[in-house]
Amino acid sequence: MTINPTVERVTQRIAARSLATRSAYLQRIAAAKECRVRRSLLGCGNLAHGFAACQPEDKTALKNQLSSDIAIITSYNDMLSAHQPYADYPSQIKAALHQVGAVGQVAGGVPAMCDGVTQGQDGMELSLMSRDVIAMSAAVGLSHNMFDGALYLGVCDKIVPGLLMAALSFGHLPAIFVPAGPMGSGLPNKEKVRIRQLYAEGKTDRQALLEVEAASYHGAGTCTFYGTANSNQMVMEVMGLHLPGASFIQPDDPLREALTAAAARQITRLTEVSGQYLPLGKLVDEKVIVNGIVALLATGGSTNHTLHLVAMARAAGIIINWDDFSDLSNCIPQLCRIYPNGPADINHFQAAGGVALLVRELLQGGLLHPDVETVAGFGLRRYTQEPYLSAGELFWREGVAKSLDRAVIADLLQPFAIHGGTKVMSGNLGRGVMKTSAVPAEYQVIEGPALVFDSQHQVQPAFDAGLLNQDCVVVVRYQGPKAVGMPELHKLMPPLGVLLDRGFKVALVTDGRLSGASGKVPAAIHVTPEAYCGGLLAKIRSGDRVRVNGHTGELTLLVDESELERRQPEEPDLSRFHLGCGRELFGALRESLSGAEQGACCIRF
């Protein structure tokens, strides 16, 4: 099979750009393997502390080097629907490990917050920073240096990227990521959006809105729309870090428990003790990172991964940027319509053929690298298979050859669009990203007057006062990483969606974030340099004309250079956004965050 020339060219470009950093990373994990403390060489007090709470048979096993000790890093809490199923995973994993003569220890827990709970609230300003906190928290657990491999339990937005960043810092250890699956389908997303917009217009009350939201988010598992949580699962499976077919099995399906046990058994086959040693840092190479980007683009996944994949790749010594996303997007067709890119949810995607069918189509088109390591063995073709149970035993078989619902998964000959749906925006305002896959083509181009806000909380009152009833470009600035931690701005979507429905042409420009649930409003997001760091966003005035073109990628402030040179940046007092809800604890971390295109990361790898 011939690899698409653009995919090959971008991969080689990344490898050349990363030559020094990747080499240094591989040397570092090789040294960690050679120098890591073996349990038999730990001081007696160290080792005794390490297994003090274990059962007698586990203590005996941990005294020697013949049994693997597997770290379990969990993001369990029972407030997040996606992470609530993890309550019983440690006991399931330990039982499965005992079956193959290994030991499992919960090495640490990491925080896991829900952006759905914190949207528009003060806590949202901790959301992106929580990714790096998760990475550091997982590293604390792994630093006990007792382990031969690790299993990572995480699903949602910042949790999986943070866990992978930590796992790659301990890249000399084998690793498998263990998902928990989506909740069952609830109220259709289109109806939820309709009621949200009615509420934004004051045409329905809070109780009606709450009933609709509760009917949509109604049980254990990830939210069923194609936001960052489900994009995480898609990307991780196509990168070969899940077992094949593990991503979208619902939490209460018997197949889910079987896959969890299988992941526990499989990790022992990858350890040094097994003789088939496969460290994570070797598995995740440039081809694997490109495969992850391709999966994201082909499915219209979350724009948050234009931050997360950058940070995740850097943790492996691999340097990617938005040009890589843009060039790949030009050759990757959109093969999926999952809300907000269409009416279907992630369960419909799974029923139509799921990841196995997607991988099959992309491999046939030469759009994925097949010759990569995975946790299931060498070669990505293993991921065209799907798991099933027969007489209670877990097996894999070839997935469907053709889509069972062409309204959800298309084939390469008749894609939903020839473009992957992630457009890099650039111009004198800086660089940003637009998710075009969810935005009708006729909405993607606008030139109009700017309406400038220094906080997302200023927009709804302006909407209520009728000030937005015009063609306009809504600019929400001072939302970037160093300013306020780069919160998601989904509270803006209902009022802006109403403006579109009223016939106005409207776009959003911001140095803040939106995720995979961005919807139909054209939005140039993640704009960098951010206003707080001297970006031109700080000089925009309401009434200035701005051009946003999602077809060409243009993002331009149409003001003479001489006028812009005379202007002084408008710098609001942000101190009120740095206090309360724990935000005061994150000051040093917030100030150390890199720019959006560098992953908005405080960790220096």
Side-chain angles (χ1 to χ4, degrees):
M1 183 191 69
T2 302
I3 295 293
N4 177 281
T6 300
V7 174
E8 183 63 28
R9 175 174 56 83
V10 171
T11 305
Q12 291 180 0
R13 181 174 74 197
I14 292 169
R17 185 191 303 138
S18 308
L19 188 61
T21 51
R22 178 64 175 169
S23 177
Y25 171 77
L26 292 175
Q27 290 177 26
R28 176 161 61 87
I29 65 170
K33 173 183 177 291
E34 294 303 319
C35 299
R36 70 185 181 89
V37 176
R38 297 178 181 274
R39 286 186 298 281
S40 62
L41 300 179
L42 281 173
C44 294
N46 303 112
L47 187 57
H49 277 84
F51 59 54
C54 290
Q55 297 298 316
E57 58 272 22
D58 287 348
K59 288 183 181 181
T60 299
L62 293 178
K63 289 177 183 178
N64 60 53
Q65 290 296 303
L66 301 179
S67 299
S68 292
D69 187 17
I70 304 301
I72 303 167
I73 302 290
T74 178
S75 58
Y76 164 73
N77 65 54
D78 65 7
M79 190 201 74
L80 271 68
S81 62
H83 292 78
Q84 183 270 349
Y86 283 136
D88 297 328
Y89 275 43
S91 59
Q92 295 174 24
I93 288 168
K94 290 178 182 181
L97 288 171
H98 282 154
Q99 292 173 357
V100 291
V103 176
Q105 292 183 286
V106 176
V110 302
M113 65 181 294
C114 179
D115 290 4
V117 176
T118 57
Q119 290 292 347
Q121 308 299 314
D122 294 346
M124 173 50 74
E125 292 168 12
L126 303 181
S127 174
L128 181 59
M129 291 185 285
S130 78
R131 181 196 64 193
D132 293 29
V133 172
I134 288 161
M136 292 184 279
S137 299
V140 170
L142 295 168
S143 70
H144 292 103
N145 216 9
M146 290 274 294
F147 310 111
D148 300 286
L151 295 170
Y152 295 88
L153 314 185
V155 177
C156 280
D157 296 17
K158 315 309 168 299
I159 295 91
V160 168
L163 289 174
L164 182 54
M165 289 159 65
L168 287 166
S169 285
F170 287 78
H172 61 288
L173 295 178
I176 297 179
F177 284 71
V178 184
M183 68 178 69
S185 300
L187 187 78
N189 287 292
K190 187 175 181 179
E191 176 64 10
K192 175 186 65 180
V193 171
R194 185 182 73 84
I195 299 299
R196 282 179 176 177
Q197 292 192 177
L198 288 175
Y199 181 75
E201 294 181 276
K203 293 180 179 179
T204 191
D205 62 18
R206 178 182 171 85
Q207 187 60 40
L209 177 63
L210 180 58
E211 290 300 323
V212 164
E213 298 284 5
S216 181
Y217 309 116
H218 61 88
T222 61
C223 307
T224 59
F225 64 85
Y226 195 42
T228 308
N230 287 320
S231 295
N232 283 340
Q233 307 316 300
M234 189 79 71
V235 168
M236 296 297 279
E237 185 164 336
V238 179
M239 287 174 66
L241 300 178
H242 287 172
L243 290 184
S247 295
F248 301 119
I249 306 298
Q250 292 181 10
D252 59 354
D253 190 317
L255 188 54
R256 170 56 65 202
E257 186 171 346
L259 284 163
T260 300
R265 293 190 294 269
Q266 182 64 13
I267 191 65
T268 67
R269 301 185 182 105
L270 307 179
T271 64
E272 189 178 4
V273 175
S274 74
Q276 303 177 62
Y277 177 56
L278 179 60
L280 179 69
K282 178 184 175 183
L283 187 160
V284 178
D285 62 10
E286 294 89 347
K287 290 182 178 180
V288 166
I289 292 293
V290 168
N291 283 351
I293 299 174
V294 169
L296 182 79
L297 296 171
T299 56
S302 171
T303 52
N304 273 326
H305 271 291
T306 61
L307 306 174
H308 296 328
L309 272 165
V310 173
M312 290 151 59
R314 282 177 180 260
I318 298 169
I319 310 301
I320 61 174
N321 60 35
W322 289 347
D323 290 331
D324 301 324
F325 284 83
S326 186
D327 289 354
L328 289 170
S329 195
N330 287 333
C331 77
I332 304 299
Q334 185 185 341
L335 297 182
C336 298
R337 279 188 174 163
I338 319 168
Y339 185 83
N341 307 332
D345 69 18
I346 199 67
N347 294 312
H348 299 132
F349 166 80
Q350 176 73 2
V355 177
L357 177 61
L358 176 73
V359 170
R360 183 184 303 277
E361 287 290 327
L362 292 171
L363 283 173
Q364 287 176 348
L367 298 171
L368 289 172
H369 292 286
D371 53 335
V372 292
E373 296 281 5
T374 79
V375 299
F378 185 79
L380 197 59
R381 289 200 177 277
R382 182 78 168 78
Y383 286 74
T384 65
Q385 297 182 331
E386 61 183 18
Y388 72 100
L389 291 177
S390 177
E393 295 292 320
L394 177 64
F395 299 93
W396 275 266
R397 62 191 171 201
E398 283 300 312
V400 297
K402 297 294 181 181
S403 175
L404 301 180
D405 188 344
R406 292 183 181 273
V408 180
I409 304 178
D411 60 39
L412 288 171
L413 298 178
Q414 293 181 302
F416 296 118
I418 61 172
H419 187 275
T422 296
K423 191 73 175 179
V424 174
M425 310 293 289
S426 62
N428 63 354
L429 278 172
R431 283 164 65 86
V433 175
M434 180 185 288
K435 180 178 178 178
T436 59
S437 56
V439 181
E442 63 271 21
Y443 290 173
Q444 292 179 20
V445 181
I446 177 174
E447 180 180 315
L451 296 178
V452 181
F453 303 92
D454 293 332
S455 166
Q456 61 174 312
H457 305 295
Q458 298 170 348
V459 177
Q460 184 70 44
F463 172 82
D464 293 339
L467 301 178
L468 305 187
N469 287 327
Q470 57 179 298
D471 292 351
C472 60
V473 177
V474 174
V475 177
V476 184
R477 61 190 180 182
Y478 292 100
Q479 304 299 297
K482 288 183 181 292
V484 292
M486 207 179 189
E488 286 190 349
L489 307 175
H490 278 299
K491 288 293 184 181
L492 304 180
M493 290 298 99
L496 297 184
V498 169
L499 295 177
L500 285 177
D501 291 346
R502 289 176 178 172
F504 297 113
K505 298 198 73 174
V506 62
L508 173 67
V509 175
T510 182
D511 47 12
R513 291 187 296 127
L514 289 170
S515 81
S518 304
K520 63 187 179 183
V521 178
I525 61 176
H526 304 176
V527 174
T528 185
E530 62 175 293
Y532 185 78
C533 294
L536 191 57
L537 283 174
K539 291 187 176 184
I540 298 181
R541 305 290 186 266
S542 288
D544 290 347
R545 294 193 69 79
V546 176
R547 182 181 298 139
V548 179
N549 190 324
H551 298 161
T552 65
E554 182 181 1
L555 180 62
T556 305
L557 175 61
L558 302 171
V559 176
D560 287 341
E561 284 295 324
S562 58
E563 166 63 17
L564 292 175
E565 288 178 5
R566 286 192 296 269
R567 287 184 183 179
Q568 293 300 309
E570 294 183 337
E571 299 180 0
D573 180 7
L574 299 177
S575 60
R576 67 188 185 279
F577 298 108
H578 297 164
L579 297 172
C581 204
R583 289 175 291 181
E584 60 275 10
L585 302 176
F586 286 75
L589 190 153
R590 182 173 52 245
E591 286 291 336
S592 71
L593 291 174
S594 61
E597 192 165 6
Q598 291 73 46
C601 187
C602 77
I603 300 172
R604 304 295 181 258
F605 294 103

